[in-house]
Amino acid sequence: MQDLIKITQNIKSKALALGFDKVGTARAVTLDGTFLSKWLSRNYHGTMSWMSRTAGIRLNPKKYLPGARSVIAVAVNYYTEDPPRPPGSAQVSRYALGRDYHLVLGKMLESLLEYIHELLPDVKGKIAVDDAPVMDKIWAYKAGIGWIGKHSNLITRELGSYVFLGEILLTAGLQYDEPIQDYCGSCTRCIDACPTGAILDDKVLDSNKCISYRTIEYRGDFTEEWEGKNQDWIFGCDVCQEVCPWNIVAAPTNIPDFLLADGKRFPLLSNILQLTPEEFQMNYKDSPIKRSKWEGLLRNAEYVRKGYLG
Ligand code: B12
Ligand code: SF4
Ligand code: SF4
């Protein structure tokens, strides 16, 4: 038992030394599938068919890493202060301003796993950041990193919700943390502020209505019923997080890779509309923005030009 406590403490100290802002541990149990099944059966995932295809693995960590006993969950602050906004500009959500977080957190998690292998040479581990079939928010919640707010993002008391999440699944047992309470209380600011009514209920999001889904994941054309409803967002959306009182604590990130690249937060719409496919590849090579592809970003910019800025 003493060993377990010591090893867990060492892993946590190393995680903080590597630059993670928060770290916690949870037992790698099979998750209650009710929430995910309901969400998928109502088609709240829209065209993200990979969500349904991998549902079984998402709910059972042992299907992602056979023999998994523990989940080490981490959070990294990515918040940056806004620069002055030029006229004629559009908005890009804060999570997409820096270097692609899959690369940044992936590398940090690999370093942590190397350290764990020094402590426990026979143990198997597997990392996950966003695109792995692992439920990042649920593990962060179970590992005591924060609670899931009504907008369905994980909120930490110390840093707010502008945090990326990731995990290491491990075949070793550890000492485990407890979830913290939900601090949303009677607040409904995110539900009231969402421009498209995408938050249907406490923690229930219909992706089909969410600007983030439309501008990043959705590949088709926008129909008339959406006219003007993406506001001025051309990649992602932060409205539900901007109005959240818990983000008053948000402070700039310590990770240089996430520091604001010039002009990314409020790019001139005219510049985006003139981007060639080659310029797109060059400008967004290591950025989350490459996810929408050139066609998607230009579709989004054109839609903002027509529907919102007039
Ligand atoms: C699919 C996806 C999306 C979709 C759907 C979002 C959604 N809310 O599900 C779209 C494209 C819309 C999206 C948008 C965004 N995303 Co996203 N997305 C994901 C992804 C890949 C899976 C999420 C998922 O499993 N959804 C399925 C539903 C069922 O789960 P859920 O939202 O967690 O809601 C359920 C639970 O809360 C559940 N529940 C409540 N308590 C409990 C307890 C237990 C035990 C269980 C099992 C369930 C449960 O009830 C809800 C069911 O209705 C994760 C990465 C990952 N691998 O987990 C990133 C992730 C959630 N996204 C992230 C980000 C940053 C965003 C955006 C902020 C980006 C932006 N600025 O535009 C927006 C936020 C929009 C919003 N309000 O949620 C971060 C969130 C970080 C954080 N602090 O929480 C993640 C974790 C990526 C990462 N690794 O950092 N995203
Ligand atoms: S990201 Fe934007 S559209 Fe999506 S739920 Fe939040 S406020 Fe609504
Ligand atoms: S805006 Fe209010 S209800 Fe929404 S997540 Fe923040 S505290 Fe919770």
Side-chain angles (χ1 to χ4, degrees):
M1 186 63 183
Q2 205 50 38
D3 270 5
L4 218 61
I5 296 174
K6 188 87 196 119
I7 284 172
T8 309
Q9 277 170 353
N10 285 345
I11 294 174
K12 287 183 174 177
S13 305
K14 181 69 180 180
L16 298 176
L18 285 168
F20 292 109
D21 290 297
K22 293 208 72 173
V23 54
T25 52
R27 198 181 294 279
V29 294
T30 302
L31 298 171
D32 174 357
T34 326
F35 301 101
L36 182 60
S37 310
K38 226 191 222 173
W39 193 75
L40 291 169
S41 68
R42 294 180 176 168
N43 194 36
Y44 292 158
H45 59 305
T47 56
M48 296 181 288
S49 53
W50 40 271
M51 282 296 298
S52 50
R53 264 202 315 273
T54 55
I57 312 178
R58 275 173 204 276
L59 294 170
N60 185 355
K62 291 186 178 59
K63 289 193 177 164
Y64 184 63
L65 174 69
R69 289 173 65 198
S70 306
V71 180
I72 302 168
V74 294
V76 180
N77 175 23
Y78 64 82
Y79 182 76
T80 49
E81 301 276 8
D82 282 354
R85 182 162 185 186
S89 59
Q91 294 203 70
V92 170
S93 58
R94 291 169 181 81
Y95 94 101
L97 301 177
R99 190 157 185 261
D100 191 338
Y101 59 102
H102 301 94
L103 305 173
V104 178
L105 266 72
K107 203 150 183 258
M108 291 165 75
L109 285 169
E110 271 165 23
S111 302
L112 185 58
L113 186 54
E114 266 171 38
Y115 172 77
I116 294 171
H117 279 142
E118 283 168 23
L119 293 180
L120 305 164
D122 298 330
V123 155
K124 290 200 173 57
K126 199 165 174 184
I127 65 172
V129 183
D130 183 53
D131 53 8
V134 175
M135 300 197 71
D136 295 339
K137 293 182 279 182
I138 305 303
W139 290 113
Y141 164 72
K142 282 186 169 289
I145 286 184
W147 77 100
I148 300 177
K150 287 181 188 161
H151 51 30
S152 93
N153 294 300
L154 183 112
I155 308 173
T156 68
R157 287 197 72 171
E158 303 81 358
L159 301 159
S161 65
Y162 294 115
V163 290
F164 291 126
L165 306 176
E167 304 80 28
I168 294 180
L169 275 66
L170 216 58
T171 55
L174 295 173
Q175 187 196 30
Y176 301 117
D177 293 300
E178 290 295 323
I180 64 162
Q181 76 174 81
D182 181 326
Y183 289 98
C184 281
S186 58
C187 173
T188 56
R189 281 197 208 179
C190 52
I191 299 176
D192 303 339
C194 173
T196 55
I199 309 168
L200 304 181
D201 197 356
D202 183 358
K203 304 181 192 22
V204 182
L205 182 95
D206 181 353
S207 302
N208 299 290
K209 294 186 174 172
C210 176
I211 296 170
S212 179
Y213 164 78
R214 294 174 182 185
T215 55
I216 302 171
E217 300 293 338
Y218 177 71
R219 297 283 174 245
D221 289 331
F222 294 131
T223 56
E224 262 176 33
E225 82 186 92
W226 287 358
E227 199 62 38
K229 284 203 178 146
N230 287 1
Q231 292 195 337
D232 52 357
W233 296 93
I234 56 164
F235 191 91
C237 167
D238 284 336
V239 173
C240 52
Q241 297 188 86
E242 281 172 348
V243 298
C244 178
W246 284 97
N247 275 336
I248 214 142
V249 298
T253 174
N254 293 320
I255 307 280
D257 275 336
F258 295 151
L259 287 174
L260 190 65
D262 252 4
K264 280 244 185 79
R265 170 89 174 95
F266 299 124
L268 289 178
L269 208 50
S270 53
N271 286 353
I272 300 291
L273 287 166
Q274 284 166 26
L275 270 183
T276 64
E278 293 73 29
E279 285 165 341
F280 176 86
Q281 292 301 337
M282 209 164 61
N283 292 357
Y284 301 116
K285 187 164 58 78
D286 285 336
S287 152
I289 297 178
K290 67 177 179 295
R291 176 91 183 154
S292 69
K293 303 201 163 60
W294 173 77
E295 293 83 354
L297 191 69
L298 264 74
R299 171 203 62 186
N300 300 342
E302 181 57 26
Y303 187 70
V304 168
R305 188 187 65 78
K306 280 206 313 231
Y308 195 70
L309 296 182

